[in-house]
Amino acid sequence: MSQNKLLIDVGSTYFKVCANNQVEQYFRDFNKDIYDDLLSKCSETISKFKKEEVFICSSANGGLTTLIIGITNSFSLKFATNIAYNSGINIINTVLYQDIQTSSIPSDLIDVVIVVGGINSVNNVFDEKLFNYLENLRFSNIVFAGSSFDADYLKNNIQNLVVVENIINNKLHVVEEPLKNYLTNLYQADIEGKEDIKHLYDLTSNQIFSTPYIVNKTLPFIDSKFAVVNPFILIDIGGATTDIHYSKDLSSDNMVTQNEYDRLVFKKLGVFKSKESLIFAAKNNEFVYELLAHLKVTENIFNEDSPKSLRILMQLAIFLVLYKVSEAHPLYIKLKLNLLKSIVLTGGITKVLSFEESEDIISFFYKKILNSDIHPSIILDSNYDIWTLGITQQ
């Protein structure tokens, strides 16, 4: 990393600042504006850098929420979901077009609706059913990334529709960049509209990206700082969600993309904002009581509010995430965990769990679920270095 760059990650709980390869973190003061709080803690460091030398990513605005409408689960919905996740977008729902008339309509305001479907040699993919659904949906932006033959028809019937290149080419491969660029630019526009965050552009002349997007950009360079062996997964356990970034060769998915890595988001497996849903998922897992016994606690730990209970929740989050991408669980993408060489842990978990506690839960998973006494190597990103590798790789 060049020493003439200042890297700043604005999270929902902490600021992380990296200068001269040294990362420092500061607990945010929620009584202050983000810009004022950052300057009060780091003004001396920030003053040493020019605006073009300052690179910022942020998850403090909560990210963008999206709803995706697609023609097929195997192509349009799958491809669009993949692009959205890798752009750092939060997907709140997907709608299969053939079921749109019976699909529930979210009551919350959606930041962006993505409509996809059909290759460019196909037309008349969409009809009045789409317009009727959208009339009852509250959203701020809408983008069409489907068959070019339907673009004019949709533009004439959907106000403020943005059209980008189809995400599916005629060889049924994924065209990622047009939709990804639209989503990352929309994220920037969202930041500029948030009073709390837009002042950060007083510090930098570079685009502010979402932190999950930056982490995904980091993965090709991760072995420059960590002893990571491919194929690997990176698990980022936070307060509201848990993200998995994984090597594509761990998936049997036949999706052809330019990215070597994909991202999967578990919206209900965080340890603070979604703590109750994490506990609910744990209680409904068939291995939970055996797991709690292994950790030498009882179900009463769920009613506690203590450092010990937080550590248990972190361990449960690791177990449940691995479980949900394993052969044991049919609802999520299946990863070939038996081929896994490395597991990287980052996020708030690294400040709570020791290496031994992390290894203990991963070892339990491999023995119980995969019937293996051997588990992948474990790397703790205890200094939050991961994001610093990708933030300047634009």
Side-chain angles (χ1 to χ4, degrees), residues 222 226 228 232-237 242-245 314-315 317-319 321-322 342-351 353-362 377-386:
I222 196 170
F226 299 92
V228 174
F232 70 89
I233 61 173
L234 181 145
I235 303 178
D236 184 350
I237 297 181
T242 288
D243 293 3
I244 283 189
H245 301 258
M314 289 286 192
Q315 289 178 299
I318 293 175
F319 178 86
V321 164
L322 290 174
S342 303
I343 297 177
V344 184
L345 300 174
T346 189
I349 186 174
T350 64
K351 297 299 180 184
L353 292 185
S354 67
F355 179 87
E356 290 73 21
E357 289 167 328
S358 303
E359 184 179 44
D360 182 41
I361 198 68
I362 290 172
S377 64
I378 300 167
I379 296 97
L380 287 186
D381 177 29
S382 55
N383 200 34
Y384 292 137
D385 285 325
I386 295 287

Side-chain angles (χ1 to χ4, degrees), residues 83-152:
I83 294 170
Y85 274 148
N86 290 330
S87 303
I89 304 301
N90 300 321
I91 300 172
I92 62 111
N93 201 9
T94 59
V95 176
L96 187 63
Y97 190 62
Q98 68 183 37
D99 301 329
I100 196 168
Q101 290 177 298
T102 57
S103 296
S104 61
I105 297 176
S107 57
D108 294 338
L109 177 68
I110 307 298
D111 290 315
V112 56
V113 176
I114 301 172
V115 182
V116 287
I119 57 176
N120 288 333
S121 57
V122 176
N123 61 355
N124 298 323
V125 175
F126 299 97
D127 54 26
E128 292 287 335
K129 297 195 297 290
L130 174 63
F131 311 139
N132 293 336
Y133 183 85
L134 293 174
E135 279 183 9
N136 296 299
L137 184 68
R138 297 171 59 237
F139 58 91
S140 300
N141 305 275
I142 184 166
V143 58
F144 177 63
S147 170
S148 58
F149 278 75
D150 272 0
D152 288 340

